[in-house]
Amino acid sequence: MSSNTKLQDNLRAAILAKPDAVLDDKDLMQALVTANEQARGDNVIDLRGIAMQRLEERLDRLEDTHRSVIAAAYENLAGTNQVHRAVIRMLEPAEFEDFLRTLGSDVVEILRVDRIKLILESTVTQEDPAIDTLGGVLSVVEPGFVDNYLTFDRGGPARDVVLREILHPTHRIFGPNADHLRSEACLRLDLGEGRLPGMIVMSARDRNHFSPQLGTDLLSFFAGVFERSMRHWLS
């Protein structure tokens, strides 16, 4: 019998020695199934083959979902590590001024955002020259500013964490680079009884960096640590 109709002895021996290798090779098995269908002709419908094809499609979808879940879990773990590192760095300074400078420098780099701004409400409208020495990380605003800023694009009470695209950049918050920023995370701060609220605004050049579809648990944790630190400094 010619080599066209019979496997060569060495190839046949290799397949018989490791048949699992053939079964585990998706492309090889697909080629065998296709050859079998062609041998039967067009007038024969293989219901088992159709069922197997649908099972393969479902398996492919499950594998894609599995990869997506693993990727999401990895991103969540990486985000958790970032926030933990930022919190530890934020708790290191022994002076209030260094604490605020760290927020606008080291914490920005750790969280991989473009800018972080601390907004504090005050009834004192006179500018304090000491604010200029903090590298632009702090802004003092009039009472009511925080809740108005958190709700200007929606109704209802102010939420503790707001993620959104920046449609109308506010130079009062972002400074001269406001036009380059595309998304923001706004964290409302409760600074204690008898004190006006504050707010942390994180901003990024990527419009999808702070998408409303993202989870807010880590940002809520960061805000909780920060506001408790602020209560300590303010007391």
Side-chain angles (χ1 to χ4, degrees), residues 4 27 41 69 209:
N4 292 332
D27 295 334
V69 170
H209 193 91

Side-chain angles (χ1 to χ4, degrees), residues 27-43:
D27 295 334
L28 183 57
M29 288 300 298
Q30 183 63 46
L32 292 174
V33 171
T34 302
N36 184 50
E37 291 175 351
Q38 292 175 349
R40 287 197 304 267
D42 297 334
N43 294 328

Side-chain angles (χ1 to χ4, degrees), residues 29-161:
M29 288 300 298
Q30 183 63 46
L32 292 174
V33 171
T34 302
N36 184 50
E37 291 175 351
Q38 292 175 349
R40 287 197 304 267
D42 297 334
N43 294 328
V44 179
I45 299 176
D46 184 9
L47 296 179
R48 184 176 63 178
I50 295 174
M52 289 298 296
Q53 182 180 0
R54 292 181 178 177
L55 286 174
E56 288 178 358
E57 293 173 352
R58 290 182 60 186
L59 179 60
D60 289 340
R61 290 196 296 269
L62 287 174
E63 289 179 346
D64 291 340
T65 301
H66 181 64
R67 284 191 291 266
S68 299
V69 170
I70 292 178
Y74 177 80
E75 290 179 0
N76 186 59
L77 178 60
T80 300
N81 290 336
Q82 279 183 311
V83 171
H84 287 174
R85 287 172 53 213
V87 166
I88 291 173
R89 181 66 187 92
M90 192 170 59
L91 296 177
E92 290 177 352
E95 301 292 337
F96 182 60
E97 290 77 7
D98 292 336
F99 169 75
L100 293 182
R101 292 191 186 97
T102 298
L103 179 66
S105 56
D106 294 356
V107 174
V108 167
E109 294 180 4
I110 293 172
L111 296 181
R112 297 179 183 176
V113 297
D114 290 287
R115 189 170 178 81
I116 295 180
K117 196 69 175 282
L118 172 62
I119 310 297
L120 296 179
E121 292 187 0
S122 175
T123 56
V124 180
T125 58
Q126 184 177 0
E127 294 185 2
D128 187 346
I131 295 178
D132 297 332
T133 66
L134 299 175
V137 69
L138 174 63
S139 286
V140 178
V141 297
E142 69 278 2
F145 179 90
V146 170
D147 285 349
N148 288 336
Y149 190 81
L150 290 169
T151 59
F152 76 83
D153 61 339
R154 54 179 295 275
R159 291 176 293 178
D160 290 335
V161 179

